[in-house]
Amino acid sequence: MIEDSIKSRRSVFPAQYDHIPIPREIIEKALEMASWAPTHKKTEPWRFKVFHSALSKKDLSEFLSTTYQDITPNFSVFKQQKISQKVAQSGCVIAICMKRDPKEVIPEWEEIAAVAMAVQNMWLYCSENGVGCYWSSPKLMNYLHEHVTMEDGERCLGFFYMGMFSGESLEGQRTSIEAKTTWV
């Protein structure tokens, strides 16, 4: 039931993953689910860079670690190691990107919202299939174009860390919707 899927979706962090490889078919299906997100004027602005192989994850880890060191005065070795560990602990890392409509027919925020909805679709699919996920948007995302090819008008909005997860998710807590709703 969709209500249960929505309420049970949680951020699951790389340290919680089971270190079992994610079947490529699950990743492909999650990406297909992303493509069904709402999109104003059918611009379909979502773009994804998938780091699934051991080599691509190693390269991403090294790039992020080195970039962190290069851009951070008085950088923390501990934080640098955490950056590398998150990639290594993940079964897959997907760079969440947005390609702006070249004609800029619709506002940029609407295209960002469409990408976020695409990620929500992936997240719900993954949660239903035993894959834990976590969307991170570190400053490092602004440098991804130095590591992978980006099209004109394309930029990274964050990283979607994924890993097989068999643990129990914490029960979600939300404040009452009545506290956030005004009926006019």
Side-chain angles (χ1 to χ4, degrees):
M1 182 180 205
I2 191 69
E3 181 179 345
D4 295 332
S5 296
I6 291 168
K7 286 182 174 180
S8 65
R9 187 224 40 87
R10 297 283 169 272
S11 291
V12 179
F13 302 97
Q16 299 172 276
Y17 300 158
D18 293 338
H19 308 290
I20 298 168
I22 302 172
R24 183 180 173 118
E25 299 77 33
I26 288 180
I27 298 166
E28 289 172 345
K29 191 67 161 183
L31 293 165
E32 180 186 337
M33 294 300 98
S35 72
W36 288 97
T39 169
H40 192 185
K41 302 240 185 239
K42 296 187 168 111
T43 60
E44 299 182 40
W46 42 83
R47 299 292 186 274
F48 304 104
K49 313 294 184 198
V50 181
F51 301 89
H52 184 236
S53 73
L55 179 60
S56 69
K57 289 190 304 177
K58 179 180 178 284
D59 288 348
L60 177 64
S61 176
E62 289 173 1
F63 170 76
L64 294 174
S65 177
T66 301
T67 302
Y68 167 74
Q69 182 177 344
D70 291 347
I71 68 169
T72 309
N74 304 316
F75 74 95
S76 159
V77 173
F78 175 77
K79 185 168 181 179
Q80 185 179 33
Q81 289 171 342
K82 291 287 282 181
I83 290 167
S84 292
Q85 284 174 347
K86 281 199 310 190
V87 176
Q89 292 168 331
S90 299
C92 182
V93 179
I94 299 178
I96 302 162
C97 301
M98 178 196 70
K99 181 170 177 19
R100 183 81 167 105
D101 170 28
K103 296 178 185 175
E104 297 187 8
V105 174
I106 60 172
E108 183 180 40
W109 75 265
E110 288 188 25
E111 301 214 295
I112 292 169
V115 172
M117 288 184 271
V119 172
Q120 178 75 345
N121 283 3
M122 289 191 331
W123 211 326
L124 290 170
Y125 175 80
C126 287
S127 293
E128 287 288 310
N129 287 278
V131 179
C133 304
Y134 159 62
W135 182 348
S136 175
S137 50
K139 184 177 178 181
L140 291 170
M141 70 186 186
N142 298 322
Y143 297 88
L144 187 65
H145 67 279
E146 296 174 9
H147 183 63
V148 296
T149 303
M150 299 278 221
E151 297 176 31
D152 288 341
E154 186 177 0
R155 68 182 171 116
C156 183
L157 300 179
F159 298 101
F160 196 58
Y161 293 91
M162 303 167 63
M164 297 305 293
F165 177 69
S166 59
E168 289 293 318
S169 293
L170 297 174
E171 187 173 318
Q173 297 178 353
R174 295 291 190 269
T175 57
S176 161
I177 193 62
E178 288 82 11
K180 298 174 245 170
T181 304
T182 303
W183 291 80
V184 181

